[in-house]
Amino acid sequence: MITSYNPADPADLVVEVESPGAAGVTAAIEKARAAQAGWRALGAAGRSAALTRAAAAIEAHADELTELIVREVGKPVAEARGEVGRTVSIWRYYAQAPFAPSGEVHEPAAGEGLLLTRRRPYGVAGLVTPWNFPLAIPTWKAAPALAVGNAVVLKPAPEATACALRLAELADLPEGVLTIVPGGAEEGAALVAGADVISFTGSTGVGRAVVAAATGRGVPVQAEMGGLNAAIVLPDADIAQAAAHLAAAIAGYAGQKCTATSRVIAVGDAYEPLAAALAEALTAIAAPGPITEVCGPVINEPALERLTTAIDSAVGAGATALAGGHRIDRDGWFIEPTLLEQVPAEHPLRTEEFFGPVAVLLPAADLEEAIAVANDTAQSLSTSVHSRDLDTALAAADRLDAGMVRVNAPSSGVDFHLPFSGAKGAGYGAREQGQAVLDFFTAQRTVTLLPAGTAR
């Protein structure tokens, strides 16, 4: 059985469903493969209309979906409401994609004729999605895959099962075109073993296994994995603004975003004022429940234990907590937003993603050192730079190893109409979102047309 509990009230069972096992996933893939031909045959107008109807249905149930997100994954109400709105926008954005050009026309190198390139769907897109954006991430994978003519089989994280099931209900696509398979590792492995194109978002370890399995089969795969994201604050930055942005990026949704900031690098004289301002900003963020505007609980008890153990071990090794550092004594999986300084270089909080409202504060003598510290990681998705000087910000942006660089803004932000992926071990394969993902979900073919009777 797959169960999902409310992280703010662990006694609240949100959903309990049977897992289909590997055989059930294989059957879902075959059913999707049979449905895909008819879905593609609807043509651009038919698929566009279906995605537009899905957007309208989701929008009409915005309040219900907001409450479900809050209850199932503990997201603060404001962020949950924003995710629903973003989900609607993504469906509408990709509803226009069926009308986009599917190739180009070229002149032949010599003689008469016509050369064409055309994109066509692979067949069945297998999607494996996390719990932290339970509507938006399934949507930004499924909507483009569907737009270009694929059928979709989606395995959500167990903690987000109810959200995924409701999303598919509201989308109300033809039978077999969008199928949810609840489950865990067995179901995920079966999906990766059977689908024609794979898109994954989740942990680094699982992502690497997915990439290995897919590439071993010779099928296209993209994987978005962990990120150890940095923020660089220069002495000329607006310190109050930077502290507010960093607090949001550290503690927003309890730091459970792949774009959250976990390392803050203060350059030169920025260190002392930033330490004070950021500690104050984090301390001011209350976390009594998921209805708060910023933080909320972490997803489950193992996540909470991993965070508290890491913080305790860092303090035991000589670190100082400038803010937070403790579990909150109440029902649910809550922890104070935490800022640590003097964390030893070899400590896991300096080298691993912990997916919680915890960050380490690090000094740098100058921008050169700050960039070196920011780049000293095996995986980086999003980095922020805070400075009043445009030349400095642009110079830093050019040299940072990150999939996204945000200037005078929190690291935790994504524009769905632009390419999205990380650097180094944070991502593998083609970019997600925007127009880039349409290429990923299709195979390009070259067609040569010659006049009848032409010899070549």
Side-chain angles (χ1 to χ4, degrees), residues 3-194:
T3 57
S4 176
Y5 289 89
N6 181 346
D9 180 7
D12 177 21
L13 176 64
V14 180
V15 70
E16 183 177 49
V17 295
E18 281 199 43
S19 53
V25 173
T26 300
I29 292 171
E30 291 309 310
K31 187 175 181 179
R33 189 162 285 123
Q36 187 264 335
W39 173 248
R40 184 187 179 200
L42 285 178
R47 294 196 301 274
S48 176
L51 269 60
T52 299
R53 288 193 297 271
I58 293 164
E59 186 172 45
H61 291 80
D63 290 344
E64 171 203 337
L65 291 171
T66 297
E67 292 176 4
L68 182 58
I69 292 173
V70 171
R71 182 182 174 208
E72 185 165 40
V73 300
K75 184 166 287 193
V77 171
E79 287 211 34
R81 188 177 296 115
E83 180 175 348
V84 174
R86 182 178 173 192
T87 299
V88 172
S89 295
I90 294 170
W91 281 99
R92 287 191 172 135
Y93 175 77
Y94 285 112
Q96 301 307 307
F99 295 109
S102 62
E104 298 176 336
V105 178
H106 297 262
E107 289 293 320
E112 297 180 345
L114 194 61
L115 301 179
L116 308 176
T117 62
R118 297 193 70 188
R119 294 183 306 174
R120 64 182 300 172
Y122 285 101
V124 177
L127 313 180
V128 181
T129 59
W131 49 263
N132 59 331
F133 287 88
L135 298 185
I137 293 181
T139 291
W140 84 45
K141 292 179 186 292
L146 293 163
V148 295
N150 295 286
V152 165
V153 178
L154 187 152
K155 193 208 80 66
E159 296 88 346
T161 299
C163 286
L165 291 170
R166 188 60 178 138
L167 178 67
E169 287 176 355
L170 291 173
D172 193 26
L173 297 175
E175 187 176 0
V177 170
L178 174 58
T179 304
I180 307 300
V181 286
E186 179 184 353
E187 287 75 16
L191 183 56
V192 173

